Amino acid sequence: MTLHSNNDVEANEDSTLLQQGNLIDKPSLYLWLAILITSCATFSFGYSLGYTSPVFNPSSNSTKTYYLDTKFHMSDDQKTWFGSVINLGAGLGGVLGGFPVDMFGKRTGMIVANTFLLVGYLMILLCKAPSFGHSNTQQMTQFYAARVLQGVGIGFVCCSVGNYQVEISTLPLRGAIGTCFQVGVVAGIFMVYFLGLWIRYESLSVIVLVVNAVGIVFAFTIPESPVWLLSKGRKEEAEAALKRLRSSDSQVTEILEKMESELNQDDVEESSESVIEKMSKAPRMKALMIGVGLMFVQQLSGINAVMFYASKILGTVWTDDDTVNQVAVGVQAMQFLLTIVAAPIVDKAGRKAMLTIASVGLVFCCMAMSSYYFWASTVPKGILILGFYGYVAFFSMGMGAVPWFIMGEIFHPEVKGISSAIATMCNWLLSFAITKTVDTFVKAFSTNSDPSDINGETPSGHGWLFVMYGSVCFLGVFFIRFVLPETKGKSYAVLEKELMGRNSYAEISK
């Protein structure tokens, strides 16, 4: 006797309608163009995260003035703040972005995001170096403000782009399109690393300025999300938007009616409710808890610490700075390619499977890296490098991309902006905490007299650092297994019932 859950039956029915021809729902070429235009913001997101690596002098003994830190006489503490304050801005942007994105639409949110990012880079580009013998306080204040503005832009990106891309997608392609957010981010990181081998920080800033300008101008040529338009009662505009985003043989009217029926299930009782009342409903609170939980696992897995120490880790094998920089570019290229490869797999294997595999892989890679730091005299350096490359690979294939678009799937359209804002704020505050405290943590747990030197006698502080991150990934496996619902091929209506705990089973066949 075979038992199936009612939710599985409904999910299968939804999937069958959309995939087996009863309801034709195919993307138009214009949908892919919209994805490309919105990816300008995610490209700039990643570019901003990787920007500090090529613009800072890799050697403390070098006096080459075309590096940003050398030209502006930055101290180590100032460089740390330049790199980390963007996280505070992103957290602020997450908080500020939720309400306007819900009120004025995702497309508006993306225009605002690109504008903040553009202004931030313009401030860096226009900053003049201090005169000889003068303090750099004014310049650093301008740099910190620029990085905060870039962070605010990133916060708006997190609240708008991923949700927009998921909402305009067809159901069968939702997983693959959902990974486009992370593809844009890692493309930006790779490009700034690659270009940084050849050009100076001024040219790097100009390039991303152009990308942001393109994102702003062409955002006016794409339609607003049909889901958002329907949630605001603008059905005619939603239908016009959907017609542009679907192929000519798609059954737009029927697809729109299905969207509308899902949105209208509780519109009558919600019409006069406040945002807090809408958010307080049990399935939405559970969805928010899941979204925040995924952000905790993603950030506390240690991705920022691993990338922070990337040059030092690679420096254990390659001692030449130029070689280390070239290998670092190769690592980013691998991350970019694996993120693309993972896109179609997510829809075939499912979200839970990808996240579980990624989390288990991260556990083993963290243990491999920690073993080198604990027992450097007996563990070969190849184990460290293998752990490092494996870590980047597993993160790219699951933990980097999947949590962001899962939020677009499980958050109710009425409160998607504010829910995304809360999760985004948690993500970036955790990112800031990791970035600013990693060196302090290493020193606190190190038994070496020089805790920052990982190329000589290896301190145990680094070992304990990766033990901690591996432990978080281990706990994340259980969170993913027992708390996270599988969202593959399911409409929001089905997911909401699962979040409400309606898991009754019906006897379907023998």
Side-chain angles (χ1 to χ4, degrees), residues 135-202:
S135 169
N136 67 351
T137 302
Q138 179 180 343
Q139 287 78 13
M140 292 311 302
T141 301
Q142 183 168 331
F143 282 149
Y144 295 152
R147 293 291 280 175
V148 168
L149 288 177
Q150 290 171 353
V152 171
I154 288 173
F156 269 82
V157 171
C158 294
C159 291
S160 57
V161 177
N163 291 333
Y164 178 88
Q165 291 177 342
V166 168
E167 288 180 3
I168 68 171
S169 170
T170 64
L171 186 60
L173 289 174
R174 199 171 63 191
I177 288 178
T179 61
C180 289
F181 182 95
Q182 187 68 8
V183 169
V185 173
V186 296
I189 297 174
F190 165 66
M191 191 56 65
V192 75
Y193 270 70
F194 177 74
L195 294 175
L197 293 175
W198 318 105
I199 61 178
R200 303 180 181 186
Y201 82 89
E202 296 96 338

Side-chain angles (χ1 to χ4, degrees), residues 468-508:
M468 181 180 72
Y469 297 148
S471 299
V472 171
C473 295
F474 180 75
L475 294 175
V477 173
F478 293 93
F479 177 82
I480 293 163
R481 174 66 181 84
F482 296 107
V483 180
L484 178 69
E486 177 55 71
T487 62
K488 172 188 172 184
K490 297 178 182 178
S491 66
Y492 178 78
V494 173
L495 289 170
E496 186 173 45
K497 291 177 181 178
E498 290 191 14
L499 293 169
M500 292 174 67
R502 294 181 182 175
N503 291 316
S504 58
Y505 285 79
E507 184 177 306
I508 303 298

Side-chain angles (χ1 to χ4, degrees), residues 229-455:
L229 290 169
L230 282 175
S231 72
K232 299 301 178 183
R234 295 156 62 175
K235 185 174 180 180
E236 291 184 2
E237 292 177 63
E239 184 172 6
L242 198 61
K243 284 180 179 178
R244 296 174 68 187
L245 296 166
R246 296 297 187 266
S247 64
S248 58
D249 59 338
S250 293
Q251 295 173 273
V252 172
T253 303
E254 290 79 359
I255 297 168
L256 194 71
E257 288 175 354
K258 183 175 178 60
M259 288 182 178
E260 190 174 27
S261 66
E262 291 178 1
L263 284 173
N264 290 339
Q265 283 181 351
D266 44 12
D267 270 359
V268 174
E269 57 188 77
E270 285 193 3
S271 58
S272 61
E273 291 180 338
S274 67
V275 173
I276 294 177
E277 289 174 324
K278 292 176 181 178
M279 281 289 297
S280 63
K281 295 180 182 294
R284 299 174 194 182
M285 289 300 297
K286 186 175 181 180
L288 179 61
M289 180 197 73
I290 290 170
V292 170
L294 287 173
M295 295 298 101
F296 266 83
V297 177
Q298 184 192 70
Q299 286 302 319
L300 295 182
S301 67
I303 182 61
N304 286 302
V306 171
M307 301 315 294
F308 181 80
Y309 277 110
S311 61
K312 292 183 178 181
I313 292 173
L314 296 172
T316 62
V317 176
W318 297 280
T319 56
D320 179 66
D321 285 339
D322 290 337
T323 302
V324 169
N325 288 336
Q326 291 168 12
V327 174
V329 172
V331 171
Q332 298 304 331
M334 180 189 72
Q335 185 178 26
F336 175 54
L337 292 174
L338 286 175
T339 304
I340 294 175
V341 169
I345 299 176
V346 170
D347 271 327
K348 294 182 181 299
R351 285 56 156 165
K352 291 185 70 164
M354 291 294 289
L355 284 174
T356 301
I357 293 169
S359 297
V360 172
L362 289 171
V363 171
F364 283 104
C365 293
C366 284
M367 294 304 102
M369 288 188 283
S370 66
S371 68
Y372 173 79
Y373 293 124
F374 283 132
W375 305 290
S377 59
T378 57
V379 176
K381 292 179 180 179
I383 295 295
L384 174 64
I385 298 302
L386 184 63
F388 173 72
Y389 274 84
Y391 181 98
V392 174
F394 281 112
F395 188 88
S396 302
M397 294 185 70
M399 197 55 68
V402 179
W404 288 108
F405 74 79
I406 280 182
M407 292 194 300
E409 294 178 313
I410 65 174
F411 290 161
H412 191 280
E414 281 283 328
V415 293
K416 189 172 287 186
I418 188 64
S419 298
S420 297
I422 294 171
T424 297
M425 179 189 68
C426 292
N427 180 281
W428 288 106
L429 290 180
L430 287 167
S431 178
F432 173 77
I434 293 294
T435 305
K436 282 298 292 178
T437 62
V438 58
D439 203 48
T440 302
F441 185 92
V442 168
K443 291 177 180 178
F445 286 87
S446 178
T447 58
N448 193 302
S449 59
D450 182 10
S452 65
D453 180 14
I454 68 171
N455 296 312

Side-chain angles (χ1 to χ4, degrees), residues 32-48 109-111 113-115 117-118 121 153-154 157 160-162 164-165 180-181 183-189 191 207-222:
W32 297 111
L33 181 61
I35 295 294
L36 182 62
I37 292 170
T38 58
S39 294
C40 287
T42 55
F43 178 90
S44 184
F45 173 170
Y47 200 96
S48 302
M110 289 183 279
I111 293 170
N114 277 300
T115 303
L117 287 158
L118 186 149
Y121 279 105
I154 288 173
V157 171
S160 57
V161 177
Y164 178 88
Q165 291 177 342
C180 289
F181 182 95
V183 169
V185 173
V186 296
I189 297 174
M191 191 56 65
I207 288 171
V208 74
L209 272 171
V210 173
V211 173
N212 290 136
V214 168
I216 293 170
V217 172
F218 283 91
F220 290 98
T221 68
I222 62 176

